Each structure stands twice: as structure tokens, then as C-alpha cells.
């Protein structure tokens, strides 16, 4: 993140106000986003459906 770039500064400020942090590192594999990314890497983007996002958030397995 370039803190000399106004857009990056705005994004960092907005995230901080909402209680989040912007990271340039990949998400932990056991997080919902990490699980979705692993699913897409294995099955392809076309296999991802809306239900998979809900399943990842709920901690259920992501089935093709």
C-alpha cells in the first residue's frame, strides 16, 4: 500500500473506521475467503456459485 497515493490512504482510512485492516498478503486458508480461493483454484471460477459463499461463511464444506 502506497501511503502517498490518495486512493490508498482513503481505503486505509475507511477500513480503519469500519474496524478492518487492508492486507496485501493472502487470507488465512481457514478463513471464509481463504476457503473460497482454494475452491476456485481447484475447481475453477465457473464452478463458484452464490451458495458457496454462504457455505464458506457458515463453515460448511464447499462442494462442487
Amino acid at each position: 500500500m502506497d501511503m502517498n497515493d490518495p486512493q490508498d490512504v482513503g481505503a486505509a482510512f475507511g477500513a480503519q473506521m469500519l474496524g478492518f485492516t487492508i492486507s496485501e498478503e493472502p487470507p488465512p486458508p481457514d478463513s471464509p475467503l481463504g476457503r473460497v480461493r482454494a475452491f476456485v483454484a481447484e475447481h475453477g471460477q465457473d464452478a463458484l456459485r452464490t451458495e458457496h459463499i454462504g457455505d464458506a461463511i457458515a463453515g460448511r464444506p464447499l462442494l462442487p
Side-chain angles (χ1 to χ4, degrees):
M1 182 169 287
D2 178 8
M3 289 314 227
N4 292 320
D5 180 354
Q7 187 154 354
D8 283 352
V9 171
F13 178 75
Q16 185 177 19
M17 293 301 295
L18 295 171
F20 296 98
T21 329
I22 296 177
S23 174
E24 294 182 14
E25 304 201 6
D30 60 339
S31 70
L33 181 55
R35 294 178 60 227
V36 168
R37 288 181 63 164
F39 177 86
V40 169
E42 184 176 341
H43 301 287
Q45 185 174 351
D46 293 335
L48 185 65
R49 297 187 314 269
T50 307
E51 297 83 28
H52 290 117
I53 305 302
D55 289 343
I57 292 170
R60 294 188 291 268
L62 304 181
L63 304 173

CSV table of all heavy atoms in Angstrom, one decimal:
chain,number,residue,atom,x,y,z
A,1,MET,N,0.9,-1.2,0.0
A,1,MET,CA,0.0,0.0,0.0
A,1,MET,C,0.9,1.2,0.0
A,1,MET,O,1.8,1.3,0.8
A,1,MET,CB,-0.9,0.0,1.2
A,1,MET,CG,-1.8,1.1,1.3
A,1,MET,SD,-3.1,0.9,2.5
A,1,MET,CE,-4.1,-0.3,1.8
A,2,ASP,N,0.6,2.1,-0.9
A,2,ASP,CA,1.4,3.4,-1.0
A,2,ASP,C,0.7,4.5,-0.3
A,2,ASP,O,-0.3,5.0,-0.8
A,2,ASP,CB,1.6,3.7,-2.5
A,2,ASP,CG,2.3,5.0,-2.8
A,2,ASP,OD1,2.9,5.5,-1.8
A,2,ASP,OD2,2.4,5.4,-3.9
A,3,MET,N,1.2,4.9,0.8
A,3,MET,CA,0.6,5.9,1.6
A,3,MET,C,0.8,7.3,1.0
A,3,MET,O,0.3,8.3,1.6
A,3,MET,CB,1.1,5.9,3.1
A,3,MET,CG,0.5,4.7,3.8
A,3,MET,SD,-1.2,4.5,3.5
A,3,MET,CE,-1.9,4.2,5.0
A,4,ASN,N,1.4,7.4,-0.1
A,4,ASN,CA,1.5,8.7,-0.9
A,4,ASN,C,0.4,8.8,-1.9
A,4,ASN,O,0.2,9.8,-2.6
A,4,ASN,CB,2.9,8.8,-1.5
A,4,ASN,CG,3.9,9.1,-0.5
A,4,ASN,OD1,3.7,9.8,0.5
A,4,ASN,ND2,5.1,8.4,-0.7
A,5,ASP,N,-0.3,7.7,-2.1
A,5,ASP,CA,-1.4,7.6,-3.1
A,5,ASP,C,-2.7,7.9,-2.4
A,5,ASP,O,-3.1,7.2,-1.4
A,5,ASP,CB,-1.5,6.2,-3.7
A,5,ASP,CG,-2.6,6.0,-4.7
A,5,ASP,OD1,-3.4,7.0,-4.9
A,5,ASP,OD2,-2.7,5.0,-5.3
A,6,PRO,N,-3.4,9.0,-2.7
A,6,PRO,CA,-4.6,9.4,-2.0
A,6,PRO,C,-5.7,8.3,-2.0
A,6,PRO,O,-6.4,8.2,-1.0
A,6,PRO,CB,-5.1,10.6,-2.8
A,6,PRO,CG,-3.9,11.1,-3.6
A,6,PRO,CD,-3.1,9.9,-3.8
A,7,GLN,N,-5.8,7.5,-3.0
A,7,GLN,CA,-6.8,6.4,-3.0
A,7,GLN,C,-6.4,5.3,-2.0
A,7,GLN,O,-7.3,4.8,-1.3
A,7,GLN,CB,-6.9,5.8,-4.4
A,7,GLN,CG,-8.0,4.8,-4.5
A,7,GLN,CD,-8.6,4.7,-5.9
A,7,GLN,OE1,-8.2,5.4,-6.8
A,7,GLN,NE2,-9.5,3.7,-6.1
A,8,ASP,N,-5.1,5.0,-1.9
A,8,ASP,CA,-4.7,4.0,-0.9
A,8,ASP,C,-5.0,4.6,0.5
A,8,ASP,O,-5.4,3.8,1.4
A,8,ASP,CB,-3.3,3.6,-1.0
A,8,ASP,CG,-3.0,2.7,-2.2
A,8,ASP,OD1,-4.0,2.2,-2.8
A,8,ASP,OD2,-1.9,2.4,-2.5
A,9,VAL,N,-4.7,5.8,0.7
A,9,VAL,CA,-4.9,6.5,2.1
A,9,VAL,C,-6.4,6.4,2.4
A,9,VAL,O,-6.7,6.1,3.5
A,9,VAL,CB,-4.3,7.9,2.1
A,9,VAL,CG1,-4.7,8.6,3.4
A,9,VAL,CG2,-2.8,7.9,1.9
A,10,GLY,N,-7.2,6.8,1.4
A,10,GLY,CA,-8.7,6.8,1.7
A,10,GLY,C,-9.2,5.4,2.0
A,10,GLY,O,-10.0,5.2,2.9
A,11,ALA,N,-8.7,4.4,1.3
A,11,ALA,CA,-9.1,3.0,1.5
A,11,ALA,C,-8.6,2.5,2.9
A,11,ALA,O,-9.4,1.9,3.6
A,11,ALA,CB,-8.5,2.1,0.5
A,12,ALA,N,-7.4,2.9,3.3
A,12,ALA,CA,-6.9,2.5,4.6
A,12,ALA,C,-7.7,3.2,5.7
A,12,ALA,O,-8.1,2.6,6.7
A,12,ALA,CB,-5.4,2.9,4.8
A,13,PHE,N,-8.0,4.5,5.5
A,13,PHE,CA,-8.8,5.2,6.5
A,13,PHE,C,-10.2,4.6,6.6
A,13,PHE,O,-10.7,4.4,7.7
A,13,PHE,CB,-8.9,6.7,6.1
A,13,PHE,CG,-9.8,7.5,7.1
A,13,PHE,CD1,-9.3,7.8,8.3
A,13,PHE,CD2,-11.0,7.9,6.7
A,13,PHE,CE1,-10.1,8.6,9.2
A,13,PHE,CE2,-11.8,8.7,7.6
A,13,PHE,CZ,-11.3,9.0,8.8
A,14,GLY,N,-10.9,4.3,5.5
A,14,GLY,CA,-12.2,3.7,5.5
A,14,GLY,C,-12.2,2.4,6.2
A,14,GLY,O,-13.1,2.1,7.0
A,15,ALA,N,-11.2,1.6,5.9
A,15,ALA,CA,-11.1,0.3,6.6
A,15,ALA,C,-11.0,0.4,8.1
A,15,ALA,O,-11.6,-0.3,8.9
A,15,ALA,CB,-10.0,-0.5,6.0
A,16,GLN,N,-10.1,1.4,8.5
A,16,GLN,CA,-9.9,1.6,9.9
A,16,GLN,C,-11.1,2.0,10.6
A,16,GLN,O,-11.4,1.6,11.7
A,16,GLN,CB,-8.8,2.6,10.1
A,16,GLN,CG,-8.4,2.8,11.5
A,16,GLN,CD,-7.2,3.8,11.7
A,16,GLN,OE1,-6.9,4.5,10.8
A,16,GLN,NE2,-6.5,3.7,12.8
A,17,MET,N,-11.9,2.9,10.0
A,17,MET,CA,-13.1,3.4,10.5
A,17,MET,C,-14.2,2.3,10.7
A,17,MET,O,-15.0,2.3,11.7
A,17,MET,CB,-13.8,4.5,9.7
A,17,MET,CG,-12.9,5.8,9.6
A,17,MET,SD,-12.6,6.5,11.2
A,17,MET,CE,-14.3,7.0,11.7
A,18,LEU,N,-14.1,1.3,9.9
A,18,LEU,CA,-15.0,0.1,10.0
A,18,LEU,C,-14.5,-1.0,10.8
A,18,LEU,O,-15.1,-2.0,11.0
A,18,LEU,CB,-15.4,-0.4,8.5
A,18,LEU,CG,-16.1,0.6,7.7
A,18,LEU,CD1,-16.2,0.1,6.3
A,18,LEU,CD2,-17.5,0.8,8.3
A,19,GLY,N,-13.2,-0.8,11.3
A,19,GLY,CA,-12.7,-1.9,12.2
A,19,GLY,C,-11.9,-3.0,11.4
A,19,GLY,O,-11.8,-4.1,11.9
A,20,PHE,N,-11.5,-2.7,10.2
A,20,PHE,CA,-10.8,-3.7,9.3
A,20,PHE,C,-9.4,-3.2,9.0
A,20,PHE,O,-9.1,-2.1,9.3
A,20,PHE,CB,-11.6,-3.9,8.0
A,20,PHE,CG,-12.9,-4.5,8.2
A,20,PHE,CD1,-14.1,-3.7,8.2
A,20,PHE,CD2,-13.1,-5.8,8.4
A,20,PHE,CE1,-15.3,-4.2,8.3
A,20,PHE,CE2,-14.4,-6.4,8.5
A,20,PHE,CZ,-15.5,-5.6,8.5
A,21,THR,N,-8.6,-4.1,8.5
A,21,THR,CA,-7.3,-3.7,8.0
A,21,THR,C,-7.2,-4.2,6.6
A,21,THR,O,-7.6,-5.3,6.2
A,21,THR,CB,-6.2,-4.5,8.8
A,21,THR,OG1,-6.7,-4.7,10.2
A,21,THR,CG2,-5.0,-3.7,8.9
A,22,ILE,N,-6.5,-3.5,5.8
A,22,ILE,CA,-6.2,-3.9,4.4
A,22,ILE,C,-4.9,-4.6,4.4
A,22,ILE,O,-3.9,-4.0,4.9
A,22,ILE,CB,-6.2,-2.7,3.4
A,22,ILE,CG1,-7.6,-2.0,3.4
A,22,ILE,CG2,-5.8,-3.1,2.0
A,22,ILE,CD1,-7.7,-0.8,2.6
A,23,SER,N,-4.9,-5.8,3.8
A,23,SER,CA,-3.6,-6.5,3.8
A,23,SER,C,-3.3,-6.9,2.4
A,23,SER,O,-4.2,-7.2,1.6
A,23,SER,CB,-3.8,-7.8,4.7
A,23,SER,OG,-2.7,-8.6,4.5
A,24,GLU,N,-2.0,-6.9,2.1
A,24,GLU,CA,-1.6,-7.4,0.7
A,24,GLU,C,-1.2,-8.8,0.7
A,24,GLU,O,-0.9,-9.4,-0.3
A,24,GLU,CB,-0.5,-6.5,0.3
A,24,GLU,CG,-0.9,-5.1,0.1
A,24,GLU,CD,0.2,-4.2,-0.4
A,24,GLU,OE1,1.2,-4.7,-0.9
A,24,GLU,OE2,0.0,-2.9,-0.4
A,25,GLU,N,-1.3,-9.5,1.9
A,25,GLU,CA,-1.0,-10.9,2.0
A,25,GLU,C,-2.2,-11.7,1.8
A,25,GLU,O,-3.4,-11.3,2.0
A,25,GLU,CB,-0.4,-11.2,3.3
A,25,GLU,CG,0.8,-10.3,3.6
A,25,GLU,CD,1.7,-10.8,4.7
A,25,GLU,OE1,1.5,-11.9,5.1
A,25,GLU,OE2,2.6,-10.1,5.0
A,26,PRO,N,-2.1,-13.0,1.3
A,26,PRO,CA,-3.3,-13.8,1.1
A,26,PRO,C,-4.0,-14.1,2.5
A,26,PRO,O,-3.4,-14.1,3.5
A,26,PRO,CB,-2.7,-15.1,0.5
A,26,PRO,CG,-1.2,-15.1,0.8
A,26,PRO,CD,-0.8,-13.7,1.0
A,27,PRO,N,-5.3,-14.4,2.4
A,27,PRO,CA,-6.0,-14.6,3.6
A,27,PRO,C,-5.6,-16.0,4.2
A,27,PRO,O,-5.1,-16.9,3.5
A,27,PRO,CB,-7.5,-14.7,3.2
A,27,PRO,CG,-7.4,-15.0,1.7
A,27,PRO,CD,-6.1,-14.5,1.2
A,28,PRO,N,-5.8,-16.2,5.5
A,28,PRO,CA,-5.5,-17.5,6.1
A,28,PRO,C,-6.4,-18.6,5.4
A,28,PRO,O,-7.5,-18.3,5.1
A,28,PRO,CB,-6.0,-17.3,7.6
A,28,PRO,CG,-6.0,-15.9,7.8
A,28,PRO,CD,-6.3,-15.2,6.5
A,29,PRO,N,-5.8,-19.8,5.2
A,29,PRO,CA,-6.6,-20.8,4.5
A,29,PRO,C,-7.8,-21.3,5.2
A,29,PRO,O,-8.8,-21.8,4.5
A,29,PRO,CB,-5.6,-22.0,4.4
A,29,PRO,CG,-4.3,-21.5,5.0
A,29,PRO,CD,-4.5,-20.1,5.6
A,30,ASP,N,-7.9,-21.1,6.5
A,30,ASP,CA,-9.1,-21.5,7.2
A,30,ASP,C,-10.2,-20.4,7.3
A,30,ASP,O,-11.3,-20.6,7.9
A,30,ASP,CB,-8.8,-22.0,8.6
A,30,ASP,CG,-8.1,-21.0,9.5
A,30,ASP,OD1,-7.5,-20.0,8.9
A,30,ASP,OD2,-8.1,-21.1,10.7
A,31,SER,N,-9.9,-19.2,6.7
A,31,SER,CA,-10.9,-18.1,6.7
A,31,SER,C,-11.9,-18.4,5.6
A,31,SER,O,-11.6,-19.1,4.6
A,31,SER,CB,-10.2,-16.8,6.6
A,31,SER,OG,-9.7,-16.7,5.2
A,32,PRO,N,-13.1,-17.8,5.6
A,32,PRO,CA,-14.0,-18.0,4.5
A,32,PRO,C,-13.4,-17.6,3.2
A,32,PRO,O,-13.6,-18.3,2.2
A,32,PRO,CB,-15.2,-17.1,4.9
A,32,PRO,CG,-15.2,-17.0,6.4
A,32,PRO,CD,-13.7,-17.0,6.7
A,33,LEU,N,-12.7,-16.4,3.1
A,33,LEU,CA,-12.2,-16.0,1.8
A,33,LEU,C,-11.1,-17.0,1.4
A,33,LEU,O,-10.9,-17.3,0.2
A,33,LEU,CB,-11.6,-14.6,1.9
A,33,LEU,CG,-11.0,-14.0,0.7
A,33,LEU,CD1,-11.9,-14.1,-0.5
A,33,LEU,CD2,-10.5,-12.6,0.9
A,34,GLY,N,-10.3,-17.5,2.3
A,34,GLY,CA,-9.2,-18.4,2.0
A,34,GLY,C,-9.8,-19.7,1.5
A,34,GLY,O,-9.3,-20.3,0.5
A,35,ARG,N,-10.9,-20.2,2.1
A,35,ARG,CA,-11.6,-21.4,1.6
A,35,ARG,C,-12.2,-21.2,0.2
A,35,ARG,O,-12.1,-22.1,-0.6
A,35,ARG,CB,-12.7,-21.8,2.6
A,35,ARG,CG,-12.0,-22.2,3.9
A,35,ARG,CD,-13.0,-22.6,5.0
A,35,ARG,NE,-13.8,-23.7,4.5
A,35,ARG,CZ,-15.2,-23.8,4.6
A,35,ARG,NH1,-15.8,-22.8,5.2
A,35,ARG,NH2,-15.8,-24.8,4.2
A,36,VAL,N,-12.8,-20.1,-0.1
A,36,VAL,CA,-13.3,-19.8,-1.4
A,36,VAL,C,-12.2,-19.7,-2.4
A,36,VAL,O,-12.3,-20.3,-3.5
A,36,VAL,CB,-14.1,-18.5,-1.4
A,36,VAL,CG1,-14.5,-18.0,-2.8
A,36,VAL,CG2,-15.4,-18.7,-0.6
A,37,ARG,N,-11.1,-19.1,-2.1
A,37,ARG,CA,-10.0,-19.0,-3.0
A,37,ARG,C,-9.4,-20.4,-3.3
A,37,ARG,O,-9.1,-20.7,-4.5
A,37,ARG,CB,-8.9,-18.1,-2.5
A,37,ARG,CG,-9.3,-16.6,-2.5
A,37,ARG,CD,-8.2,-15.7,-2.0
A,37,ARG,NE,-7.1,-15.9,-2.9
A,37,ARG,CZ,-6.1,-15.0,-2.9
A,37,ARG,NH1,-6.1,-14.0,-2.1
A,37,ARG,NH2,-5.0,-15.2,-3.7
A,38,ALA,N,-9.3,-21.3,-2.3
A,38,ALA,CA,-8.9,-22.6,-2.5
A,38,ALA,C,-9.8,-23.4,-3.4
A,38,ALA,O,-9.4,-24.2,-4.3
A,38,ALA,CB,-8.7,-23.4,-1.2
A,39,PHE,N,-11.1,-23.2,-3.2
A,39,PHE,CA,-12.1,-23.9,-4.1
A,39,PHE,C,-12.0,-23.4,-5.5
A,39,PHE,O,-12.0,-24.3,-6.4
A,39,PHE,CB,-13.5,-23.5,-3.5
A,39,PHE,CG,-14.6,-24.1,-4.4
A,39,PHE,CD1,-15.1,-25.4,-4.1
A,39,PHE,CD2,-15.2,-23.4,-5.4
A,39,PHE,CE1,-16.1,-25.9,-4.9
A,39,PHE,CE2,-16.2,-23.9,-6.2
A,39,PHE,CZ,-16.7,-25.2,-5.9
A,40,VAL,N,-11.8,-22.1,-5.7
A,40,VAL,CA,-11.7,-21.6,-7.1
A,40,VAL,C,-10.4,-22.2,-7.7
A,40,VAL,O,-10.4,-22.5,-8.9
A,40,VAL,CB,-11.7,-20.1,-7.1
A,40,VAL,CG1,-11.3,-19.5,-8.5
A,40,VAL,CG2,-13.1,-19.6,-6.8
A,41,ALA,N,-9.3,-22.3,-7.0
A,41,ALA,CA,-8.1,-22.8,-7.5
A,41,ALA,C,-8.2,-24.2,-7.9
A,41,ALA,O,-7.6,-24.7,-8.9
A,41,ALA,CB,-7.0,-22.6,-6.5
A,42,GLU,N,-9.0,-25.0,-7.2
A,42,GLU,CA,-9.2,-26.4,-7.5
A,42,GLU,C,-10.2,-26.7,-8.6
A,42,GLU,O,-10.0,-27.5,-9.5
A,42,GLU,CB,-9.6,-27.2,-6.2
A,42,GLU,CG,-9.7,-28.7,-6.4
A,42,GLU,CD,-10.0,-29.4,-5.2
A,42,GLU,OE1,-9.8,-28.8,-4.1
A,42,GLU,OE2,-10.4,-30.6,-5.3
A,43,HIS,N,-11.3,-26.0,-8.6
A,43,HIS,CA,-12.5,-26.2,-9.4
A,43,HIS,C,-12.7,-25.2,-10.6
A,43,HIS,O,-13.5,-25.5,-11.4
A,43,HIS,CB,-13.7,-26.4,-8.6
A,43,HIS,CG,-13.7,-27.5,-7.6
A,43,HIS,ND1,-13.7,-28.8,-7.9
A,43,HIS,CD2,-13.5,-27.4,-6.3
A,43,HIS,CE1,-13.6,-29.5,-6.8
A,43,HIS,NE2,-13.5,-28.7,-5.8
A,44,GLY,N,-12.0,-24.1,-10.5
A,44,GLY,CA,-12.2,-23.0,-11.5
A,44,GLY,C,-13.3,-22.0,-11.1
A,44,GLY,O,-14.2,-22.4,-10.3
A,45,GLN,N,-13.2,-20.9,-11.6
A,45,GLN,CA,-14.1,-19.8,-11.3
A,45,GLN,C,-15.5,-20.1,-11.7
A,45,GLN,O,-16.5,-19.6,-11.0
A,45,GLN,CB,-13.6,-18.5,-11.9
A,45,GLN,CG,-14.4,-17.3,-11.5
A,45,GLN,CD,-13.8,-16.0,-12.1
A,45,GLN,OE1,-12.7,-16.0,-12.6
A,45,GLN,NE2,-14.5,-14.9,-12.0
A,46,ASP,N,-15.7,-20.8,-12.8
A,46,ASP,CA,-17.1,-21.1,-13.3
A,46,ASP,C,-17.8,-22.0,-12.3
A,46,ASP,O,-19.1,-22.0,-12.4
A,46,ASP,CB,-17.0,-21.7,-14.7
A,46,ASP,CG,-16.5,-20.7,-15.7
A,46,ASP,OD1,-16.6,-19.4,-15.5
A,46,ASP,OD2,-16.0,-21.1,-16.7
A,47,ALA,N,-17.1,-22.7,-11.5
A,47,ALA,CA,-17.8,-23.7,-10.6
A,47,ALA,C,-18.3,-22.9,-9.3
A,47,ALA,O,-19.2,-23.5,-8.6
A,47,ALA,CB,-16.9,-24.8,-10.1
A,48,LEU,N,-17.9,-21.7,-9.1
A,48,LEU,CA,-18.3,-21.0,-7.9
A,48,LEU,C,-19.7,-20.4,-8.0
A,48,LEU,O,-20.0,-19.8,-9.0
A,48,LEU,CB,-17.3,-19.8,-7.6
A,48,LEU,CG,-17.5,-19.0,-6.4
A,48,LEU,CD1,-17.2,-19.9,-5.1
A,48,LEU,CD2,-16.5,-17.8,-6.3
A,49,ARG,N,-20.5,-20.7,-7.0
A,49,ARG,CA,-21.9,-20.2,-7.0
A,49,ARG,C,-22.1,-19.4,-5.7
A,49,ARG,O,-21.4,-19.5,-4.8
A,49,ARG,CB,-22.9,-21.4,-7.1
A,49,ARG,CG,-22.8,-22.2,-8.4
A,49,ARG,CD,-23.8,-23.3,-8.5
A,49,ARG,NE,-24.0,-24.1,-7.2
A,49,ARG,CZ,-23.4,-25.2,-6.9
A,49,ARG,NH1,-22.6,-25.7,-7.8
A,49,ARG,NH2,-23.7,-25.9,-5.8
A,50,THR,N,-23.2,-18.7,-5.7
A,50,THR,CA,-23.6,-17.9,-4.6
A,50,THR,C,-23.7,-18.7,-3.3
A,50,THR,O,-23.3,-18.3,-2.2
A,50,THR,CB,-24.9,-17.2,-4.8
A,50,THR,OG1,-24.9,-16.5,-6.1
A,50,THR,CG2,-25.3,-16.2,-3.7
A,51,GLU,N,-24.2,-19.9,-3.4
A,51,GLU,CA,-24.3,-20.8,-2.2
A,51,GLU,C,-23.0,-21.1,-1.6
A,51,GLU,O,-22.9,-21.3,-0.4
A,51,GLU,CB,-25.0,-22.1,-2.6
A,51,GLU,CG,-26.4,-22.0,-3.2
A,51,GLU,CD,-26.4,-21.7,-4.6
A,51,GLU,OE1,-25.5,-22.0,-5.4
A,51,GLU,OE2,-27.4,-21.0,-5.1
A,52,HIS,N,-21.9,-21.1,-2.4
A,52,HIS,CA,-20.6,-21.4,-1.9
A,52,HIS,C,-20.1,-20.3,-0.9
A,52,HIS,O,-19.5,-20.6,0.1
A,52,HIS,CB,-19.5,-21.6,-3.0
A,52,HIS,CG,-19.7,-22.8,-3.8
A,52,HIS,ND1,-20.0,-22.8,-5.1
A,52,HIS,CD2,-19.7,-24.1,-3.5
A,52,HIS,CE1,-20.2,-24.0,-5.6
A,52,HIS,NE2,-19.9,-24.8,-4.6
A,53,ILE,N,-20.5,-19.1,-1.2
A,53,ILE,CA,-20.1,-18.0,-0.3
A,53,ILE,C,-20.8,-18.2,1.1
A,53,ILE,O,-20.1,-18.1,2.1
A,53,ILE,CB,-20.4,-16.6,-0.9
A,53,ILE,CG1,-19.8,-16.5,-2.3
A,53,ILE,CG2,-20.0,-15.5,0.0
A,53,ILE,CD1,-18.3,-16.6,-2.3
A,54,GLY,N,-22.1,-18.5,1.1
A,54,GLY,CA,-22.8,-18.7,2.3
A,54,GLY,C,-22.2,-19.9,3.1
A,54,GLY,O,-22.1,-19.9,4.3
A,55,ASP,N,-21.9,-20.9,2.3
A,55,ASP,CA,-21.3,-22.1,3.0
A,55,ASP,C,-20.0,-21.8,3.6
A,55,ASP,O,-19.7,-22.3,4.7
A,55,ASP,CB,-21.2,-23.3,2.0
A,55,ASP,CG,-22.5,-23.9,1.5
A,55,ASP,OD1,-23.5,-23.6,2.2
A,55,ASP,OD2,-22.5,-24.6,0.5
A,56,ALA,N,-19.2,-21.0,2.9
A,56,ALA,CA,-17.8,-20.7,3.5
A,56,ALA,C,-18.0,-19.9,4.7
A,56,ALA,O,-17.3,-20.1,5.7
A,56,ALA,CB,-17.0,-19.9,2.4
A,57,ILE,N,-18.9,-18.9,4.8
A,57,ILE,CA,-19.1,-18.1,5.9
A,57,ILE,C,-19.6,-18.9,7.1
A,57,ILE,O,-19.2,-18.7,8.2
A,57,ILE,CB,-20.1,-16.9,5.6
A,57,ILE,CG1,-19.4,-15.9,4.6
A,57,ILE,CG2,-20.6,-16.2,6.9
A,57,ILE,CD1,-20.4,-14.9,4.1
A,58,ALA,N,-20.5,-19.9,6.8
A,58,ALA,CA,-21.1,-20.7,7.8
A,58,ALA,C,-20.2,-21.9,8.3
A,58,ALA,O,-20.5,-22.6,9.2
A,58,ALA,CB,-22.4,-21.3,7.3
A,59,GLY,N,-19.0,-22.0,7.5
A,59,GLY,CA,-18.1,-23.1,7.9
A,59,GLY,C,-18.4,-24.5,7.4
A,59,GLY,O,-17.8,-25.5,7.8
A,60,ARG,N,-19.4,-24.5,6.4
A,60,ARG,CA,-19.8,-25.8,5.8
A,60,ARG,C,-18.8,-26.1,4.7
A,60,ARG,O,-18.1,-25.2,4.1
A,60,ARG,CB,-21.2,-25.7,5.3
A,60,ARG,CG,-22.2,-25.6,6.4
A,60,ARG,CD,-23.7,-25.7,5.8
A,60,ARG,NE,-24.0,-24.5,5.0
A,60,ARG,CZ,-24.6,-23.5,5.4
A,60,ARG,NH1,-25.0,-23.3,6.7
A,60,ARG,NH2,-24.9,-22.5,4.6
A,61,PRO,N,-18.7,-27.4,4.3
A,61,PRO,CA,-17.8,-27.7,3.2
A,61,PRO,C,-18.3,-27.1,1.9
A,61,PRO,O,-19.5,-27.0,1.7
A,61,PRO,CB,-17.8,-29.3,3.2
A,61,PRO,CG,-19.0,-29.7,4.0
A,61,PRO,CD,-19.4,-28.5,4.9
A,62,LEU,N,-17.3,-26.8,1.0
A,62,LEU,CA,-17.7,-26.3,-0.3
A,62,LEU,C,-17.6,-27.4,-1.3
A,62,LEU,O,-16.6,-28.0,-1.6
A,62,LEU,CB,-16.7,-25.2,-0.7
A,62,LEU,CG,-16.5,-24.1,0.3
A,62,LEU,CD1,-15.5,-23.0,-0.3
A,62,LEU,CD2,-17.8,-23.4,0.6
A,63,LEU,N,-18.8,-27.8,-1.7
A,63,LEU,CA,-19.0,-28.9,-2.7
A,63,LEU,C,-19.1,-28.4,-4.1
A,63,LEU,O,-19.8,-27.4,-4.3
A,63,LEU,CB,-20.2,-29.8,-2.3
A,63,LEU,CG,-20.2,-30.3,-0.8
A,63,LEU,CD1,-21.5,-31.0,-0.5
A,63,LEU,CD2,-19.0,-31.2,-0.6
A,64,PRO,N,-18.5,-29.1,-5.1
A,64,PRO,CA,-18.6,-28.7,-6.5
A,64,PRO,C,-20.0,-28.9,-7.0
A,64,PRO,O,-20.8,-29.5,-6.5
A,64,PRO,CB,-17.6,-29.5,-7.2
A,64,PRO,CG,-17.1,-30.5,-6.3
A,64,PRO,CD,-17.6,-30.2,-4.9
